PDB file of all heavy atoms in Angstrom:
ATOM      1  N   LEU A 137     -90.562 -29.005  28.761  1.00 98.00           N
ATOM      2  CA  LEU A 137     -90.550 -28.609  27.357  1.00 98.00           C
ATOM      3  C   LEU A 137     -89.723 -27.339  27.243  1.00 98.00           C
ATOM      4  O   LEU A 137     -89.926 -26.386  27.994  1.00 98.00           O
ATOM      5  CB  LEU A 137     -91.975 -28.350  26.867  1.00 98.00           C
ATOM      6  CG  LEU A 137     -92.138 -27.742  25.468  1.00 98.00           C
ATOM      7  CD1 LEU A 137     -91.661 -28.713  24.390  1.00 98.00           C
ATOM      8  CD2 LEU A 137     -93.596 -27.339  25.237  1.00 98.00           C
ATOM      9  N   SER A 138     -88.781 -27.326  26.307  1.00 98.00           N
ATOM     10  CA  SER A 138     -87.953 -26.139  26.065  1.00 98.00           C
ATOM     11  C   SER A 138     -88.299 -25.552  24.706  1.00 98.00           C
ATOM     12  O   SER A 138     -88.294 -26.255  23.693  1.00 98.00           O
ATOM     13  CB  SER A 138     -86.462 -26.508  26.106  1.00 98.00           C
ATOM     14  OG  SER A 138     -85.666 -25.367  25.837  1.00 98.00           O
ATOM     15  N   LEU A 139     -88.604 -24.253  24.691  1.00 98.00           N
ATOM     16  CA  LEU A 139     -88.972 -23.540  23.468  1.00 98.00           C
ATOM     17  C   LEU A 139     -87.977 -22.406  23.227  1.00 98.00           C
ATOM     18  O   LEU A 139     -87.468 -21.821  24.182  1.00 98.00           O
ATOM     19  CB  LEU A 139     -90.382 -22.960  23.601  1.00 98.00           C
ATOM     20  CG  LEU A 139     -91.493 -23.976  23.860  1.00 98.00           C
ATOM     21  CD1 LEU A 139     -92.730 -23.272  24.411  1.00 98.00           C
ATOM     22  CD2 LEU A 139     -91.833 -24.735  22.588  1.00 98.00           C
ATOM     23  N   THR A 140     -87.714 -22.094  21.970  1.00 98.00           N
ATOM     24  CA  THR A 140     -86.776 -21.030  21.620  1.00 98.00           C
ATOM     25  C   THR A 140     -87.518 -19.951  20.851  1.00 98.00           C
ATOM     26  O   THR A 140     -88.172 -20.233  19.847  1.00 98.00           O
ATOM     27  CB  THR A 140     -85.623 -21.574  20.761  1.00 98.00           C
ATOM     28  OG1 THR A 140     -85.021 -22.685  21.423  1.00 98.00           O
ATOM     29  CG2 THR A 140     -84.572 -20.504  20.533  1.00 98.00           C
ATOM     30  N   GLN A 141     -87.423 -18.693  21.334  1.00 98.00           N
ATOM     31  CA  GLN A 141     -88.151 -17.580  20.727  1.00 98.00           C
ATOM     32  C   GLN A 141     -87.238 -16.359  20.612  1.00 98.00           C
ATOM     33  O   GLN A 141     -86.838 -15.810  21.635  1.00 98.00           O
ATOM     34  CB  GLN A 141     -89.383 -17.255  21.576  1.00 98.00           C
ATOM     35  CG  GLN A 141     -90.263 -16.155  21.101  1.00 98.00           C
ATOM     36  CD  GLN A 141     -91.111 -16.509  19.896  1.00 98.00           C
ATOM     37  OE1 GLN A 141     -90.633 -17.141  18.956  1.00 98.00           O
ATOM     38  NE2 GLN A 141     -92.355 -16.072  19.896  1.00 98.00           N
ATOM     39  N   SER A 142     -86.846 -15.882  19.420  1.00 97.00           N
ATOM     40  CA  SER A 142     -87.098 -16.498  18.147  1.00 97.00           C
ATOM     41  C   SER A 142     -86.231 -17.748  17.964  1.00 97.00           C
ATOM     42  O   SER A 142     -85.248 -17.928  18.676  1.00 97.00           O
ATOM     43  CB  SER A 142     -86.829 -15.502  17.015  1.00 97.00           C
ATOM     44  OG  SER A 142     -85.491 -15.029  17.057  1.00 97.00           O
ATOM     45  N   THR A 143     -86.609 -18.587  16.984  1.00 98.00           N
ATOM     46  CA  THR A 143     -85.992 -19.903  16.867  1.00 98.00           C
ATOM     47  C   THR A 143     -84.590 -19.825  16.276  1.00 98.00           C
ATOM     48  O   THR A 143     -84.153 -18.788  15.781  1.00 98.00           O
ATOM     49  CB  THR A 143     -86.839 -20.830  15.983  1.00 98.00           C
ATOM     50  OG1 THR A 143     -86.701 -20.414  14.600  1.00 98.00           O
ATOM     51  CG2 THR A 143     -88.304 -20.799  16.385  1.00 98.00           C
ATOM     52  N   GLU A 144     -83.916 -20.962  16.295  1.00 97.00           N
ATOM     53  CA  GLU A 144     -82.558 -21.040  15.736  1.00 97.00           C
ATOM     54  C   GLU A 144     -82.550 -20.763  14.239  1.00 97.00           C
ATOM     55  O   GLU A 144     -81.508 -20.441  13.671  1.00 97.00           O
ATOM     56  CB  GLU A 144     -81.952 -22.414  16.006  1.00 97.00           C
ATOM     57  CG  GLU A 144     -81.831 -22.798  17.469  1.00 97.00           C
ATOM     58  CD  GLU A 144     -80.865 -21.924  18.234  1.00 97.00           C
ATOM     59  OE1 GLU A 144     -80.061 -21.211  17.605  1.00 97.00           O
ATOM     60  OE2 GLU A 144     -80.910 -21.943  19.476  1.00 97.00           O
ATOM     61  N   TYR A 145     -83.700 -20.909  13.585  1.00 98.00           N
ATOM     62  CA  TYR A 145     -83.789 -20.654  12.144  1.00 98.00           C
ATOM     63  C   TYR A 145     -84.453 -19.318  11.829  1.00 98.00           C
ATOM     64  O   TYR A 145     -84.923 -19.094  10.718  1.00 98.00           O
ATOM     65  CB  TYR A 145     -84.512 -21.806  11.443  1.00 98.00           C
ATOM     66  CG  TYR A 145     -83.620 -23.017  11.264  1.00 98.00           C
ATOM     67  CD1 TYR A 145     -83.759 -24.129  12.085  1.00 98.00           C
ATOM     68  CD2 TYR A 145     -82.615 -23.035  10.307  1.00 98.00           C
ATOM     69  CE1 TYR A 145     -82.932 -25.235  11.940  1.00 98.00           C
ATOM     70  CE2 TYR A 145     -81.783 -24.133  10.148  1.00 98.00           C
ATOM     71  CZ  TYR A 145     -81.949 -25.233  10.971  1.00 98.00           C
ATOM     72  OH  TYR A 145     -81.120 -26.331  10.825  1.00 98.00           O
ATOM     73  N   GLY A 146     -84.504 -18.440  12.826  1.00 97.00           N
ATOM     74  CA  GLY A 146     -84.952 -17.077  12.580  1.00 97.00           C
ATOM     75  C   GLY A 146     -86.445 -16.913  12.403  1.00 97.00           C
ATOM     76  O   GLY A 146     -86.900 -15.887  11.890  1.00 97.00           O
ATOM     77  N   THR A 147     -87.225 -17.904  12.841  1.00 98.00           N
ATOM     78  CA  THR A 147     -88.679 -17.778  12.782  1.00 98.00           C
ATOM     79  C   THR A 147     -89.217 -17.421  14.166  1.00 98.00           C
ATOM     80  O   THR A 147     -88.531 -17.595  15.176  1.00 98.00           O
ATOM     81  CB  THR A 147     -89.325 -19.075  12.285  1.00 98.00           C
ATOM     82  OG1 THR A 147     -88.860 -20.175  13.080  1.00 98.00           O
ATOM     83  CG2 THR A 147     -88.969 -19.328  10.824  1.00 98.00           C
ATOM     84  N   VAL A 148     -90.439 -16.938  14.199  1.00 98.00           N
ATOM     85  CA  VAL A 148     -91.040 -16.457  15.444  1.00 98.00           C
ATOM     86  C   VAL A 148     -92.348 -17.203  15.683  1.00 98.00           C
ATOM     87  O   VAL A 148     -93.258 -17.173  14.847  1.00 98.00           O
ATOM     88  CB  VAL A 148     -91.305 -14.935  15.381  1.00 98.00           C
ATOM     89  CG1 VAL A 148     -91.973 -14.459  16.665  1.00 98.00           C
ATOM     90  CG2 VAL A 148     -89.997 -14.181  15.146  1.00 98.00           C
ATOM     91  N   TYR A 149     -92.435 -17.879  16.819  1.00 98.00           N
ATOM     92  CA  TYR A 149     -93.682 -18.533  17.203  1.00 98.00           C
ATOM     93  C   TYR A 149     -94.774 -17.482  17.416  1.00 98.00           C
ATOM     94  O   TYR A 149     -94.537 -16.442  18.047  1.00 98.00           O
ATOM     95  CB  TYR A 149     -93.522 -19.274  18.528  1.00 98.00           C
ATOM     96  CG  TYR A 149     -92.811 -20.600  18.488  1.00 98.00           C
ATOM     97  CD1 TYR A 149     -91.510 -20.714  19.011  1.00 98.00           C
ATOM     98  CD2 TYR A 149     -93.429 -21.750  18.000  1.00 98.00           C
ATOM     99  CE1 TYR A 149     -90.849 -21.946  19.038  1.00 98.00           C
ATOM    100  CE2 TYR A 149     -92.779 -22.973  18.023  1.00 98.00           C
ATOM    101  CZ  TYR A 149     -91.499 -23.075  18.530  1.00 98.00           C
ATOM    102  OH  TYR A 149     -90.856 -24.280  18.563  1.00 98.00           O
ATOM    103  N   THR A 150     -95.963 -17.770  16.933  1.00 98.00           N
ATOM    104  CA  THR A 150     -97.115 -16.948  17.306  1.00 98.00           C
ATOM    105  C   THR A 150     -97.620 -17.401  18.678  1.00 98.00           C
ATOM    106  O   THR A 150     -97.276 -18.487  19.159  1.00 98.00           O
ATOM    107  CB  THR A 150     -98.259 -17.089  16.292  1.00 98.00           C
ATOM    108  OG1 THR A 150     -98.757 -18.442  16.332  1.00 98.00           O
ATOM    109  CG2 THR A 150     -97.784 -16.761  14.878  1.00 98.00           C
ATOM    110  N   GLU A 151     -98.450 -16.574  19.276  1.00 98.00           N
ATOM    111  CA  GLU A 151     -99.044 -16.938  20.568  1.00 98.00           C
ATOM    112  C   GLU A 151     -99.821 -18.250  20.449  1.00 98.00           C
ATOM    113  O   GLU A 151     -99.743 -19.124  21.322  1.00 98.00           O
ATOM    114  CB  GLU A 151     -99.959 -15.810  21.036  1.00 98.00           C
ATOM    115  CG  GLU A 151    -100.648 -16.067  22.356  1.00 98.00           C
ATOM    116  CD  GLU A 151    -101.648 -14.979  22.692  1.00 98.00           C
ATOM    117  OE1 GLU A 151    -101.499 -13.842  22.199  1.00 98.00           O
ATOM    118  OE2 GLU A 151    -102.602 -15.281  23.446  1.00 98.00           O
ATOM    119  N   GLU A 152    -100.557 -18.408  19.343  1.00 98.00           N
ATOM    120  CA  GLU A 152    -101.362 -19.611  19.146  1.00 98.00           C
ATOM    121  C   GLU A 152    -100.476 -20.847  18.993  1.00 98.00           C
ATOM    122  O   GLU A 152    -100.778 -21.922  19.534  1.00 98.00           O
ATOM    123  CB  GLU A 152    -102.261 -19.444  17.915  1.00 98.00           C
ATOM    124  CG  GLU A 152    -103.350 -20.489  17.784  1.00 98.00           C
ATOM    125  CD  GLU A 152    -104.379 -20.425  18.904  1.00 98.00           C
ATOM    126  OE1 GLU A 152    -104.473 -19.386  19.582  1.00 98.00           O
ATOM    127  OE2 GLU A 152    -105.084 -21.434  19.096  1.00 98.00           O
ATOM    128  N   GLU A 153     -99.381 -20.719  18.260  1.00 98.00           N
ATOM    129  CA  GLU A 153     -98.465 -21.846  18.097  1.00 98.00           C
ATOM    130  C   GLU A 153     -97.868 -22.272  19.431  1.00 98.00           C
ATOM    131  O   GLU A 153     -97.735 -23.465  19.713  1.00 98.00           O
ATOM    132  CB  GLU A 153     -97.349 -21.473  17.114  1.00 98.00           C
ATOM    133  CG  GLU A 153     -97.802 -21.398  15.664  1.00 98.00           C
ATOM    134  CD  GLU A 153     -96.748 -20.826  14.741  1.00 98.00           C
ATOM    135  OE1 GLU A 153     -95.925 -19.996  15.192  1.00 98.00           O
ATOM    136  OE2 GLU A 153     -96.748 -21.198  13.558  1.00 98.00           O
ATOM    137  N   LEU A 154     -97.522 -21.314  20.248  1.00 98.00           N
ATOM    138  CA  LEU A 154     -96.980 -21.641  21.568  1.00 98.00           C
ATOM    139  C   LEU A 154     -98.032 -22.324  22.430  1.00 98.00           C
ATOM    140  O   LEU A 154     -97.727 -23.277  23.154  1.00 98.00           O
ATOM    141  CB  LEU A 154     -96.471 -20.375  22.252  1.00 98.00           C
ATOM    142  CG  LEU A 154     -95.192 -19.764  21.671  1.00 98.00           C
ATOM    143  CD1 LEU A 154     -94.912 -18.417  22.325  1.00 98.00           C
ATOM    144  CD2 LEU A 154     -93.997 -20.690  21.855  1.00 98.00           C
ATOM    145  N   ARG A 155     -99.248 -21.842  22.356  1.00 98.00           N
ATOM    146  CA  ARG A 155    -100.315 -22.435  23.165  1.00 98.00           C
ATOM    147  C   ARG A 155    -100.513 -23.913  22.824  1.00 98.00           C
ATOM    148  O   ARG A 155    -100.703 -24.752  23.709  1.00 98.00           O
ATOM    149  CB  ARG A 155    -101.625 -21.660  22.952  1.00 98.00           C
ATOM    150  CG  ARG A 155    -102.775 -22.182  23.800  1.00 98.00           C
ATOM    151  CD  ARG A 155    -104.014 -21.326  23.694  1.00 98.00           C
ATOM    152  NE  ARG A 155    -103.839 -20.057  24.407  1.00 98.00           N
ATOM    153  CZ  ARG A 155    -103.696 -18.875  23.809  1.00 98.00           C
ATOM    154  NH1 ARG A 155    -103.716 -18.801  22.496  1.00 98.00           N
ATOM    155  NH2 ARG A 155    -103.528 -17.788  24.505  1.00 98.00           N
ATOM    156  N   HIS A 156    -100.431 -24.246  21.530  1.00 98.00           N
ATOM    157  CA  HIS A 156    -100.621 -25.635  21.103  1.00 98.00           C
ATOM    158  C   HIS A 156     -99.474 -26.538  21.556  1.00 98.00           C
ATOM    159  O   HIS A 156     -99.633 -27.766  21.561  1.00 98.00           O
ATOM    160  CB  HIS A 156    -100.769 -25.700  19.585  1.00 98.00           C
ATOM    161  CG  HIS A 156    -102.103 -25.213  19.090  1.00 98.00           C
ATOM    162  ND1 HIS A 156    -103.295 -25.658  19.604  1.00 98.00           N
ATOM    163  CD2 HIS A 156    -102.421 -24.300  18.135  1.00 98.00           C
ATOM    164  CE1 HIS A 156    -104.299 -25.055  18.987  1.00 98.00           C
ATOM    165  NE2 HIS A 156    -103.795 -24.214  18.096  1.00 98.00           N
ATOM    166  N   LEU A 157     -98.351 -25.968  21.911  1.00 98.00           N
ATOM    167  CA  LEU A 157     -97.234 -26.754  22.440  1.00 98.00           C
ATOM    168  C   LEU A 157     -97.258 -26.809  23.963  1.00 98.00           C
ATOM    169  O   LEU A 157     -96.991 -27.847  24.573  1.00 98.00           O
ATOM    170  CB  LEU A 157     -95.910 -26.155  21.965  1.00 98.00           C
ATOM    171  CG  LEU A 157     -95.661 -26.170  20.451  1.00 98.00           C
ATOM    172  CD1 LEU A 157     -94.416 -25.360  20.119  1.00 98.00           C
ATOM    173  CD2 LEU A 157     -95.521 -27.598  19.932  1.00 98.00           C
ATOM    174  N   ILE A 158     -97.573 -25.680  24.578  1.00 98.00           N
ATOM    175  CA  ILE A 158     -97.493 -25.579  26.033  1.00 98.00           C
ATOM    176  C   ILE A 158     -98.652 -26.298  26.719  1.00 98.00           C
ATOM    177  O   ILE A 158     -98.450 -26.988  27.731  1.00 98.00           O
ATOM    178  CB  ILE A 158     -97.427 -24.096  26.462  1.00 98.00           C
ATOM    179  CG1 ILE A 158     -96.090 -23.480  26.005  1.00 98.00           C
ATOM    180  CG2 ILE A 158     -97.599 -23.948  27.968  1.00 98.00           C
ATOM    181  CD1 ILE A 158     -96.005 -21.978  26.202  1.00 98.00           C
ATOM    182  N   GLU A 159     -99.846 -26.164  26.197  1.00 98.00           N
ATOM    183  CA  GLU A 159    -101.010 -26.745  26.877  1.00 98.00           C
ATOM    184  C   GLU A 159    -100.906 -28.256  27.060  1.00 98.00           C
ATOM    185  O   GLU A 159    -101.124 -28.760  28.166  1.00 98.00           O
ATOM    186  CB  GLU A 159    -102.288 -26.351  26.155  1.00 98.00           C
ATOM    187  CG  GLU A 159    -102.689 -24.904  26.418  1.00 98.00           C
ATOM    188  CD  GLU A 159    -104.025 -24.529  25.799  1.00 98.00           C
ATOM    189  OE1 GLU A 159    -104.600 -25.372  25.068  1.00 98.00           O
ATOM    190  OE2 GLU A 159    -104.484 -23.396  26.037  1.00 98.00           O
TER     191      GLU A 159
END
Side-chain angles (χ1 to χ4, degrees):
L137 172 66
S138 178
L139 301 162
T140 307
Q141 181 74 317
S142 58
T143 73
E144 300 295 344
Y145 283 103
T147 53
V148 178
Y149 282 107
T150 65
E151 179 186 335
E152 193 65 19
E153 287 171 330
L154 289 172
R155 182 174 287 108
H156 286 310
L157 297 171
I158 292 172
E159 285 185 355

